[in-house]
Amino acid sequence: MLDADFFHRWLAAAAAAVDREADRLTELDSPIGDADHGSNLRRGFTAVVATPEKEAPDTPGAVLTLAGRQLISTVGGASGPLYGTLLRRTGKALGEAPEVSEAEFAEALRAGVDAVAALGGAALGDKTMLDSLVPGVDALPTSYAAAREAARRGALATIPLQARKGRASYLGERSVGHQDPGATSSALLFEALAEAAGEAPGE
Amino acid sequence: MSDGVQRVGIVLVSHSAAVAESVALLAQDLAGGGTGPVAPAGGTADGGLGTSSDLVAAAAHRVDRGAGVAILADLGSAVLTVKALIAEGDELPALSRLLDAPFVEGAVAAVVTASAGGDLTAVAAAAQEAYSYRKV
């Protein structure tokens, strides 16, 4: 069973990963975006982990719902409402239980990914964060390591794609050949999840 | 307001504070000046380019007179942030609606309609109709 501490660990690992990779995310966002993905996400996740321990929520659902709200209000770019919706909808799907099973979490995260797709009007293959989120969540029932690997592959698979959503879509064919920064940061979430679950770091 | 009509509030959400403020002024001037509540919510809280959900929520509450709040947004994160706030349920006044409309033309149509006492449905329809005004 997964308790609130597991989700605090996940968010802390995600914040650390975003902080560590912020420059790379911004670099990926330079040719096809507005070169702020790393700094925007760093600002958002810094706010998420800045919640004082005594005020930290104590159910999985509340941990994720609060984190989602914080991302929506602090990121400033499109990744704020998108990641905010992902976490908030996942949190709401988990309800108020003090502990949730891994299957329940996988199902809730699926609801979160579906909400992201609905909000952005994007689908698999549009060269967005969904290209990492969807394979990640598909693999989650197998294992955290499998989800991490699937999300990472999904992010790499955006390189030959032409963007059909977001600012990069204005570039048309010039978006081909660049790894999508959103899919890359989404893969970090699965990497952080595997870390929170105690999986050894992958390649 | 002498006629006692509760005007629909209008919020203009742009990536740029200057754009939101200028379009608000333009729309109000074209509507005959200052007869309905209009608030710009442009840029991030620290003055950069982007969207601040806090600025959007504050603007919506500022223009809310109980007749609803019509929100126009320009691009990407502005649209997504408003949608996410509406989905949140308790961040915006109860009758808040994102209009499907071009930003400048839609803002003018919305403010004119709201200033004339149109309800939220009429304001939304007027703003959306701006899409059908072809230029060539």
Side-chain angles (χ1 to χ4, degrees), chain A residues 19-42:
Chain A
D19 187 52
R20 190 174 66 234
E21 301 285 335
D23 289 349
R24 189 167 77 96
L25 293 174
T26 289
E27 217 169 277
L28 291 173
D29 196 31
S30 308
I32 58 170
D34 38 11
D36 58 4
H37 192 54
S39 48
N40 280 347
L41 276 191
R42 182 188 263 154

Side-chain angles (χ1 to χ4, degrees), chain B:
Chain B
M1 266 159 271
S2 53
D3 56 9
V5 176
Q6 294 292 322
R7 257 64 181 192
V8 172
I10 314 279
V11 175
L12 302 176
V13 185
S14 168
H15 275 57
S16 149
V19 169
E21 283 158 22
S22 299
V23 173
L25 280 176
L26 172 70
Q28 280 185 308
D29 281 356
L30 292 179
T35 51
V38 181
T44 58
D46 58 3
L49 292 181
T51 313
S52 159
S53 64
D54 291 344
L55 288 181
V56 174
H61 286 286
R62 212 156 59 235
V63 298
D64 182 25
R65 304 286 183 273
V69 176
I71 307 174
L72 287 103
D74 62 358
L75 302 162
S77 71
V79 175
L80 293 176
T81 298
V82 174
K83 281 182 166 178
L85 281 173
I86 287 173
E88 189 90 16
D90 52 1
E91 295 284 315
L92 299 175
L95 291 171
S96 295
R97 187 163 158 188
L98 172 65
L99 304 190
D100 185 17
F103 193 64
V104 178
E105 294 86 339
V108 172
V111 172
V112 168
T113 307
S115 297
D119 64 10
L120 188 55
T121 306
V123 169
Q128 189 167 349
E129 208 177 279
Y131 269 135
S132 64
Y133 177 72
R134 313 311 315 183
K135 290 163 194 176
V136 280

Side-chain angles (χ1 to χ4, degrees), chain A residues 109-203:
Chain A
L109 192 61
R110 163 86 56 194
V113 172
D114 289 347
V116 170
L119 179 64
L124 203 62
D126 284 348
K127 200 178 180 95
T128 71
M129 53 196 277
L130 287 173
D131 290 320
S132 156
L133 290 178
V134 171
V137 81
D138 281 347
L140 192 55
T142 309
S143 73
Y144 296 109
R148 171 183 61 201
E149 188 52 28
R152 197 184 68 90
R153 281 175 198 271
L156 288 172
T158 61
I159 294 174
L161 298 177
Q162 179 170 333
R164 286 197 291 258
K165 283 286 163 188
R167 188 188 180 283
S169 65
Y170 301 149
L171 298 176
E173 285 178 11
R174 277 179 295 146
S175 67
V176 173
H178 300 282
Q179 183 170 332
D180 183 62
T184 308
S185 56
S186 290
L188 293 180
L189 286 190
F190 284 98
E191 202 177 301
L193 193 55
E195 195 183 322
E199 300 278 349
E203 272 315 300

Side-chain angles (χ1 to χ4, degrees), chain A residues 4-5 7-8 11 48 56-68 70 91:
Chain A
D5 272 350
F7 291 95
H8 285 303
L11 294 173
V48 165
D58 55 3
T59 66
V63 170
L64 297 182
T65 307
L66 175 65
Q70 287 167 320

